[in-house]
Amino acid sequence: MKYAFLFSSLILLFLLSSAGYAQQKLTGTIQDSKGPLEFANVLIKEKGIGGITDSLGRFELINLEPGQYTLQVSLIGYSTYSRRISVPFAGQELSITLDQLDSSLDEVVVSGTMQEVSRLDSPVPVEVYKAAFFKTNPTPSLFESLQNVNGVRPQINCNVCNTGDIHINGLEGPYTMILIDGMPIVSGLATVYGLTGIPQSLIDRIEVVKGPASTLYGSEAVGGLINVITKRPELAPSVSVDAFASGWGEVNADLGWRSKLGKSVYSLSGINVFWYDNPIDNNGDGFTDLTLQKRMSLFQKFEIQRKAGRIFTLAGRYVNENRWGGQVNWTESDRGGDQIYGESILTERWEAFGTYQLPVQQLINFQFSANGHKQDSYYGETFYLADQTIAFGQLTWIKEAGKHNLLFGSAYRYTYYDDNTPATSSEGGSRNFPSEIHLPGVFLQDEIRFSPKHSLLAGLRYDYNSVHGGILSPRLNYKWVSADKSTVFRASAGNGFRVANVFTEDHAALTGAREVVFTEELNPERSWNANLNLVKKLYTDQGNYLGLDGAVFYTYFTNRIVPDYESNPNQIIYANLDGSAVSKGISLNLDAVWNSGFKILAGATLMDVSLEEGGEKVRQLLTERFSGVWTIGYSFQNLGLTLDYTGNVYSPMRLPLLGELDDRPEFSPWWSIQNIQLTKSFGKKWEVYGGVKNLLNFTPPANSIARAFDPFDRGVEFDPSGNVISTPANPNALTFDPTYVFAPNQGIRGFLGLRFTLD
């Protein structure tokens, strides 16, 4: 399988038809009830030939061979139009009227099937959150923005450095894949850092798929995936500015602009800057409540217009960040010292990704991405230096064959990881052995449309990992839609896998030289998932809308790789979990809009996530049984004012204690973060917004950091095995530990912002 990617790619190219172009053309006009529509996408699906309408709503498709084809017209904010046509077209010039969407069900999505389809037509449940959703609670990063998405929770893992991950349905961050424009950009070492610095003014929407998606996306898509879709350059505003500041001294600014290079290249550029340099210690533990950060991110995307409307996009991003947290009197001169404790993290990251449609008759796309991540960090005295590079390439071929919509693909992923810890060295640290993993794979997907109401999606993927060997991932999805399209039912089952990076990222635990020990041949982590989903749209005679989206989910997780730091203080012991983990539950989303200007988007998830080993079942750490989110808005249309009230609520979670004598509560309390915002529009270009975050002023207990007064453990005594001894000065046998964390330490604060948009 070493050459699976190249071999399968050659097979795909060999199967292409090479028939010459016939000089037939198709012309027409796209409009809505108000007039012509510019930038509508017109596509001949079987051939991948398409174009975009001009300012008069006109389009022209050339080089069409005689035959029967499916013409598809799509534009964000409108229902997708589809009809069968014959070429040559016997009638007059086409005139097509698009209907505006009355809900989000017909929005175009790509994450479920790796093809652009309406959300209604997708056999895979996909939740879509538009840019306007995130404006109701502006935040300096996507990591924080996701706090109001049902079943998705940003989890802070450290009270000092404030790093974290994204949980989906209770499964931890390493099992959530993060994509940008469909490419696996954010993973491994950069799971949290990659979600910062994306200019939010350039984001079109975010798509969320819950449950395994490894059949299409491979490793890490075990719990689900989050796909960040950036705006198309030709549709983006000419200039967009969004900047705000908070009462804590945080300043965040986004700048985006569109340009055109020559006749055929559209450009979208963006800059994000975040600055916070104000140490605050409201809980009185001597440590910063919020990590100080200085971050700059540059984003650039090109879209090249090609003949027959073929796709060619190229994008890149660069992020540089300097963050630190620790004792409030820490300065740069204390970095790496043993007198004043601080966690200082310097991050430099680059990304490149794009899509190129091959110049052939068939619809074949080559997608590619690469990223590099360098980290230079000190955790007190512990130095951590890491370097990671990931390269990815994927070739897909979409083929319509009667009732079948076929997707063939091949992919290759290369991962390089190196650090300065014993995890990537041997022989007493005298030799360095970076991790290099090759992961070629092939996949096939067939969507069978039995009738307008019934369809079935079947997929199968085979990957060959250079360390673990072959991995097979199947999935099956069924969809039924009512005749009036007001009800959609989906049933799905699938398999996910993750090849864990045993060269641990838990670098703060490596406080001394440790030997890496494998007690067995490690197998990839795997999960099996079943999901039932029901969507119902309801309308009133007054034109009000109510949407319900409910799901029942069950995920069975095996082969979990757990590093053991406790059995022997001189070793890191790796082994597959001798047991299983289960995530099961139900969720419900409510979307309601009234003509009066009142709207509600709310959701709730009830789940049970547990871990079983040796006949003993325990709740997974830092996982709630119940969560709820809401976004409630009202528009005072005559005044140009919008009021938004957002929030979330979580039930108690089991927290990590340091031993039987640890007197901190084992479970968190019920807690909620709530926010309110008022936005005033001045014409179509200007907006001023402001409000209050964390209205209830909720913060975790002040003793969340164990022994905050002794961060270097000078007053801690250990036995010969490395275990903490209870002493009169340390009766609870604690060490300095910042991992007892379930909620942000930031209390109530005001914020004020300004937006400017020039179309």
Side-chain angles (χ1 to χ4, degrees):
M1 290 298 297
K2 182 176 181 181
Y3 302 100
F5 173 70
L6 177 60
F7 180 70
S8 56
S9 301
L10 291 175
I11 291 177
L12 288 176
L13 292 173
F14 178 76
L15 294 175
L16 300 179
S17 118
S18 58
Y21 293 114
Q23 297 302 314
Q24 302 290 340
K25 70 177 181 179
L26 186 69
T27 60
T29 302
I30 309 300
Q31 59 194 8
D32 64 4
S33 58
K34 298 179 181 179
L37 291 174
E38 188 178 9
F39 300 123
N41 294 285
V42 184
L43 175 69
I44 301 294
K45 293 190 65 176
E46 291 83 353
K47 294 296 185 181
I49 297 175
I52 298 174
T53 57
D54 60 19
S55 59
L56 300 177
R58 292 184 53 80
F59 71 90
E60 180 177 279
L61 305 181
I62 61 175
N63 295 331
L64 295 177
E65 297 178 283
Q68 296 285 327
Y69 300 109
T70 300
L71 177 70
Q72 179 176 293
V73 182
S74 62
L75 179 63
I76 294 174
Y78 292 84
S79 297
T80 300
Y81 175 92
S82 182
R83 66 174 284 187
R84 295 289 291 178
I85 62 170
S86 298
V87 175
F89 188 65
Q92 299 295 321
E93 184 174 352
L94 282 172
S95 178
I96 298 172
T97 300
L98 298 184
D99 296 324
Q100 287 189 310
L101 292 175
D102 55 4
S103 75
S104 63
L105 196 58
D106 283 336
E107 289 176 318
V108 174
V109 296
V110 297
S111 299
T113 61
M114 212 176 279
Q115 301 181 52
E116 283 199 353
V117 298
S118 74
R119 188 181 173 202
L120 173 69
D121 292 334
S122 174
V124 179
V126 180
E127 296 180 13
V128 180
Y129 297 90
K130 300 289 288 182
F133 171 81
F134 299 102
K135 290 181 179 179
T136 61
N137 180 31
T139 64
S141 73
L142 280 179
F143 176 78
E144 298 170 65
S145 296
L146 294 170
Q147 63 185 280
N148 289 327
V149 176
N150 187 26
V152 177
R153 184 171 67 84
Q155 168 62 45
I156 297 175
N157 294 327
C158 176
N159 272 306
V160 179
C161 63
N162 290 168
T163 56
D165 54 37
I166 304 294
H167 291 204
I168 294 182
N169 286 344
L171 292 178
E172 296 168 320
Y175 312 111
T176 300
M177 173 168 274
I178 310 295
L179 309 170
I180 300 180
D181 286 343
M183 288 291 93
I185 289 295
V186 183
S187 60
L189 183 64
T191 298
V192 60
Y193 303 105
L195 281 175
T196 59
I198 301 175
Q200 297 200 46
S201 60
L202 303 184
I203 294 174
D204 176 67
R205 66 188 187 274
I206 292 180
E207 300 177 2
V208 179
V209 177
K210 300 172 183 176
S214 294
T215 303
L216 283 185
Y217 294 97
S219 179
E220 297 177 23
V222 176
L225 65 89
I226 297 171
N227 192 2
V228 181
I229 309 293
T230 60
K231 292 179 180 178
R232 295 181 55 177
E234 72 271 21
L235 300 179
S238 296
V239 178
S240 61
V241 179
D242 190 345
F244 70 88
S246 79
W248 275 45
E250 302 163 279
V251 177
N252 185 79
D254 281 344
L255 170 63
W257 66 94
R258 181 190 72 201
S259 56
K260 190 173 182 181
L261 310 176
K263 296 182 179 180
S264 59
V265 180
Y266 289 89
S267 170
L268 179 62
S269 308
I271 299 175
N272 169 259
V273 176
F274 178 72
W275 186 279
Y276 173 65
D277 195 26
N278 182 32
I280 292 177
D281 178 25
N282 286 339
N283 62 10
D285 63 359
F287 277 71
T288 53
D289 291 343
L290 178 65
T291 303
L292 283 74
Q293 300 176 52
K294 301 172 184 176
R295 181 179 67 242
M296 183 185 69
S297 174
L298 305 176
F299 178 87
Q300 179 64 55
K301 183 176 183 179
F302 297 103
E303 184 165 312
I304 297 91
Q305 301 294 317
R306 301 168 59 210
K307 292 182 178 179
R310 292 189 178 91
I311 300 170
F312 185 19
T313 63
L314 183 64
R317 187 167 71 110
Y318 172 78
V319 182
N320 186 286
E321 182 184 76
N322 180 355
R323 70 162 63 191
W324 76 268
Q327 294 178 288
V328 291
N329 58 339
W330 186 91
T331 64
E332 287 284 346
S333 62
D334 297 306
R335 192 172 195 260
D338 62 356
Q339 298 301 313
I340 301 176
Y341 186 88
E343 297 187 359
S344 172
I345 303 171
L346 304 178
T347 302
E348 186 175 17
R349 176 173 177 81
W350 61 268
E351 303 163 351
F353 52 96
T355 300
Y356 178 78
Q357 183 178 344
L358 272 61
V360 293
Q361 287 290 305
Q362 302 295 328
L363 181 54
I364 297 182
N365 290 327
F366 177 65
Q367 297 171 295
F368 52 91
S369 68
N371 64 79
H373 186 100
K374 292 186 177 181
Q375 192 165 313
D376 178 349
S377 308
Y378 272 98
Y379 301 83
E381 297 178 275
T382 303
F383 178 51
Y384 176 71
L385 183 67
D387 185 9
Q388 178 176 274
T389 302
I390 299 176
F392 176 83
Q394 177 172 272
L395 194 66
T396 60
W397 176 25
I398 299 172
K399 177 68 176 178
E400 291 277 353
K403 295 183 177 181
H404 298 265
N405 178 262
L406 298 168
L407 171 69
F408 302 92
S410 60
Y412 172 77
R413 180 172 175 174
Y414 169 77
T415 303
Y416 171 90
Y417 175 79
D418 190 19
D419 64 23
N420 66 313
T421 73
T424 54
S425 64
S426 66
E427 300 179 9
S430 61
R431 296 187 60 188
N432 189 49
F433 290 93
S435 167
E436 292 188 86
I437 298 176
H438 302 270
L439 188 64
V442 293
F443 55 92
L444 168 66
Q445 176 180 277
D446 183 12
E447 182 181 353
I448 309 169
R449 303 185 189 94
F450 297 104
S451 69
K453 292 185 177 181
H454 302 275
S455 64
L456 184 70
L457 178 72
L460 186 66
R461 183 186 184 105
Y462 178 80
D463 290 90
Y464 186 84
N465 184 274
S466 58
V467 175
H468 297 286
I471 306 168
L472 197 65
S473 301
R475 80 164 172 178
L476 193 66
N477 298 80
Y478 167 76
K479 187 199 69 167
W480 173 86
V481 58
S482 62
D484 61 0
K485 297 185 179 182
S486 66
T487 306
V488 183
F489 172 76
R490 298 178 176 93
S492 62
N495 171 262
F497 74 92
R498 173 178 175 262
V499 180
N501 182 9
V502 298
F503 299 91
T504 176
E505 297 170 12
D506 190 15
H507 39 269
L510 302 177
T511 56
R514 289 175 180 252
E515 178 188 2
V516 177
V517 177
F518 297 91
T519 61
E520 60 185 355
E521 184 70 24
L522 296 179
N523 296 314
E525 301 174 315
R526 306 198 68 120
S527 72
W528 288 93
N529 173 272
N531 185 292
L532 300 177
N533 172 252
L534 180 65
V535 177
K536 180 66 177 178
K537 298 193 300 181
L538 302 171
Y539 303 90
T540 68
D541 294 337
Q542 294 77 28
N544 301 325
Y545 166 76
L546 175 66
L548 297 172
D549 187 340
V552 179
F553 59 89
Y554 180 90
T555 302
Y556 183 82
F557 194 79
T558 60
N559 287 345
R560 190 169 179 178
I561 299 173
V562 181
D564 178 7
Y565 300 98
E566 300 174 341
S567 298
N568 188 322
N570 298 312
Q571 294 179 336
I572 311 172
I573 303 173
Y574 287 100
N576 285 113
L577 177 69
D578 185 17
S580 61
V582 171
S583 171
K584 57 185 177 182
I586 58 176
S587 68
L588 177 66
N589 286 325
L590 167 69
D591 184 8
V593 180
W594 284 264
N595 284 332
S596 62
F598 187 65
K599 58 183 179 181
I600 297 176
L601 179 62
T605 299
L606 181 66
M607 63 183 177
D608 178 23
V609 183
S610 60
L611 189 70
E612 185 174 352
E613 185 173 26
E616 182 180 356
K617 180 180 177 181
V618 297
R619 281 181 60 181
Q620 181 173 286
L621 288 170
L622 298 170
T623 303
E624 67 281 1
R625 288 192 184 276
F626 173 84
S627 65
V629 297
W630 63 86
T631 299
I632 302 174
Y634 186 79
S635 297
F636 302 88
Q637 298 179 0
N638 295 334
L639 301 176
L641 286 173
T642 302
L643 180 67
D644 293 297
Y645 171 48
T646 60
N648 51 50
V649 60
Y650 298 101
S651 67
M653 312 172 190
R654 191 167 73 90
L655 303 175
L657 299 178
L658 295 179
E660 296 181 357
L661 298 178
D662 193 335
D663 62 348
R664 294 175 297 177
E666 183 182 2
F667 288 90
S668 67
W670 282 82
W671 61 282
S672 175
I673 303 294
Q674 301 178 23
N675 320 285
I676 194 165
Q677 174 183 263
L678 188 64
T679 304
K680 168 64 176 176
S681 298
F682 296 92
K684 296 183 178 180
K685 298 179 181 180
W686 294 92
E687 281 185 351
V688 176
Y689 60 93
V692 179
K693 290 182 178 289
N694 198 354
L695 284 167
L696 303 181
N697 196 27
F698 176 83
T699 55
N703 65 342
S704 293
I705 300 179
R707 291 184 66 85
F709 60 89
D710 185 20
F712 295 99
D713 287 338
R714 291 191 173 93
V716 180
E717 296 184 19
F718 301 87
D719 65 18
S721 298
N723 300 312
V724 182
I725 301 173
S726 176
T727 64
N730 186 18
N732 301 114
L734 301 178
T735 60
F736 173 73
D737 178 61
T739 62
Y740 184 92
V741 56
F742 58 92
N745 284 311
Q746 258 189 307
I748 189 171
R749 60 203 182 277
F751 67 95
L752 182 65
L754 175 71
R755 295 190 185 100
F756 172 77
T757 304
L758 179 63
D759 290 330

